[in-house]
Amino acid sequence: MSTPLLEIEDLALSFAGVRALDGVTFSIDEGELFAVIGPNGAGKSTLFNCISGIYRPGSGSIRFGGTEILGTAPHRIAKAGIARTFQNVDVFPAMTVRECLLLARHQHLRSGALAGMIRWGRSAREERAALRRVTEVADRLGLGDLLGREVGPLPHGVQKRVELARSLCMEPRLLLLDEPVAGMNHEETAEMAATLSEVNSDLGITMLLVEHDMSMVMGISDRVCVLDFGRRIALDTPAAVVRDAAVIDAYLGGAL
Ligand SMILES: Nc1ncnc2c1ncn2[C@@H]1O[C@H](COP(=O)(O)OP(=O)(O)OP(=O)(O)O)[C@@H](O)[C@H]1O
Ligand SMILES: [Mg+2]
């Protein structure tokens, strides 16, 4: 059997006595679309912050492609191939979509925001390659016609797409998505779900998805892990998770 792409083992982290993560264990295979669900405060975003190196867990282990990454700086983790989007939209409002995507790509290639800014004037060939990649990603996400537009005035649902595009410009092996359809209407949600499925299957990018929209999660995920008060209470296929008594009791009873 091949090594899982991501292995989380016995992860624990407390904030001033609150156990945000309490012995969480799971692993994700290459190519999987894996979801983490659970009530507010269950520890989902904390888990993301541990994987992307923003929080340092009190104990446990996080291996990516077989290598321990716990304690590694966030920019090194990103460079190793883990990209993420944030729960709240986090884009530069005065930049155009094109600038936003180019910046993400340069930052990633040069590692570090400052390096990206300073070496802005690089070879024409590099610039053309970057632009090609950015245009490809934008087209795939239905942003091709918006490349010249400023991000700030764009609708929320489109900004969430720009965020996704930005993380894809980093050519990640693993993409962490924290509530990619939060605040979206029904139509935008359905489009985003289809896009994520496509990116997963066509580009082969492994995904770890946190989301409260249950029909979206259950529709596109291969497996679902359920957290409650920092603990894993279920890990199974969507069909099995929706029938799980502990999950219904802790979360789905209210969410469905
Ligand atoms: N930086 C922090 N300082 C103190 N407590 C924190 C911090 N980050 C998270 N927590 C606490 O850890 C617990 C888990 O929070 P987390 O944000 O991971 O939940 P979540 O599952 O993402 O919830 P939501 O669905 O509302 O986004 C909560 O009790 C929260 O208050
Ligand atoms: Mg959260």
Side-chain angles (χ1 to χ4, degrees):
M1 240 180 75
S2 60
T3 312
L5 184 59
L6 185 76
E7 296 163 277
I8 305 282
E9 206 178 310
D10 209 16
L11 208 62
L13 175 59
S14 296
F15 295 106
V18 175
R19 282 174 186 265
L21 292 174
D22 193 358
V24 173
T25 297
F26 64 85
S27 61
I28 304 180
D29 290 325
E30 186 108 47
E32 250 193 311
L33 206 168
F34 188 98
V36 175
I37 64 169
N40 293 118
K44 306 179 297 295
S45 294
T46 302
L47 173 68
F48 269 29
N49 285 330
C50 290
I51 298 170
S52 53
I54 295 171
Y55 290 167
R56 174 114 202 213
S59 62
S61 143
I62 305 176
R63 286 187 299 277
F64 180 60
T67 305
E68 181 63 60
I69 57 166
L70 203 147
T72 306
H75 72 276
R76 288 194 189 280
I77 290 178
K79 219 168 163 50
I82 302 182
R84 70 171 290 174
T85 62
F86 287 85
Q87 185 165 355
N88 300 309
V89 172
D90 176 40
V91 289
F92 300 106
M95 281 190 175
T96 64
V97 173
R98 184 182 290 106
E99 285 165 346
C100 211
L101 301 188
L102 279 173
L103 180 63
R105 185 152 180 95
H106 290 327
Q107 275 178 354
H108 176 62
L109 292 180
R110 303 289 160 182
S111 98
L114 254 179
M117 298 283 193
I118 291 166
R119 304 206 207 166
W120 192 265
R122 70 200 74 238
S123 80
R125 181 156 27 111
E126 270 182 309
E127 285 302 326
R128 276 199 304 275
L131 201 55
R132 220 176 13 250
R133 173 73 192 165
V134 159
T135 309
E136 235 171 66
V137 169
D139 284 343
R140 178 170 284 278
L141 297 199
L143 298 168
D145 293 337
L146 302 176
L147 278 167
R149 298 270 292 276
E150 265 186 29
V151 177
L154 295 173
H156 173 78
V158 179
Q159 292 192 4
K160 295 283 272 189
R161 271 176 182 271
V162 173
E163 261 209 304
L164 174 63
R166 197 167 61 165
S167 58
L168 286 177
C169 286
M170 301 181 188
E171 299 187 43
R173 282 177 78 193
L174 173 67
L175 187 53
L176 310 180
L177 300 155
D178 200 352
E179 303 201 17
V181 303
M184 284 191 181
N185 64 34
H186 191 70
E187 199 188 331
E188 288 171 330
T189 299
E191 278 171 15
M192 182 57 114
T195 302
L196 293 179
S197 259
E198 237 176 75
V199 167
N200 173 246
S201 55
D202 297 0
L203 303 182
I205 296 178
T206 309
M207 290 184 184
L208 172 49
L209 165 74
V210 162
E211 187 48 67
H212 282 290
D213 187 314
M214 282 307 108
S215 64
M216 191 268 197
V217 168
M218 299 305 176
I220 66 171
S221 306
D222 296 312
R223 286 190 301 152
V224 180
C225 168
V226 189
L227 296 183
D228 189 32
F229 291 110
R231 253 181 254 142
R232 189 186 108 182
I233 60 166
L235 173 61
D236 217 320
T237 59
V241 159
V242 291
R243 287 195 305 263
D244 187 298
V247 177
I248 292 168
D249 190 39
Y251 183 48
L252 293 182
L256 286 178

